[in-house]
Amino acid sequence: MSDQNVRNAGFTSSGIARGSLASSMMSQEAKSSGGGVHSGGPTSTLQEMGARGSTHSTGFTSSGISGGSQAASMMSQEARSHGGGTPRGGTTSTVQSI
């Protein structure tokens, strides 16, 4: 995943851009978790990368999610919250597509 793609999705050094993919992801995550975005969750993790300007070694690659990576942890967290699977159009699949 490139740094530019993260910024283009709306995760920036000044916060999540209004009307962006990032803001949609944040909204979706907040709704699914009862109204908040958890520290260490997908949205906050991507925002941290956007604020830092670095996505290196996250585990989202052009050939899939790397085992044991931060991306794999995000996918696992999402799967647990959805009863064992990552939904099409969910956070992990959206981030992987970025």
Side-chain angles (χ1 to χ4, degrees), residues 49-77:
M49 287 183 236
R52 253 192 342 232
S54 176
T55 60
H56 301 292
S57 303
T58 59
F60 289 102
T61 72
S62 60
S63 59
I65 293 176
S66 299
S69 67
Q70 185 176 17
S73 296
M74 290 171 65
M75 183 174 68
S76 177
Q77 177 184 352

Side-chain angles (χ1 to χ4, degrees), residues 2-96:
S2 79
D3 296 337
Q4 186 61 46
N5 288 349
V6 171
R7 285 188 296 277
N8 288 345
F11 296 101
T12 71
S13 60
S14 58
I16 291 177
R18 174 183 265 166
S20 66
L21 175 61
S23 67
S24 295
M25 290 172 60
M26 182 175 67
S27 175
Q28 180 181 355
E29 186 177 344
K31 287 175 186 173
S32 72
S33 67
V37 176
H38 299 286
S39 176
T43 301
S44 64
T45 301
L46 282 167
Q47 180 52 40
E48 179 184 344
M49 287 183 236
R52 253 192 342 232
S54 176
T55 60
H56 301 292
S57 303
T58 59
F60 289 102
T61 72
S62 60
S63 59
I65 293 176
S66 299
S69 67
Q70 185 176 17
S73 296
M74 290 171 65
M75 183 174 68
S76 177
Q77 177 184 352
E78 186 175 15
R80 283 192 303 274
S81 71
H82 287 88
T86 54
R88 173 179 253 166
T91 305
T92 302
S93 63
T94 302
V95 174
Q96 180 60 29

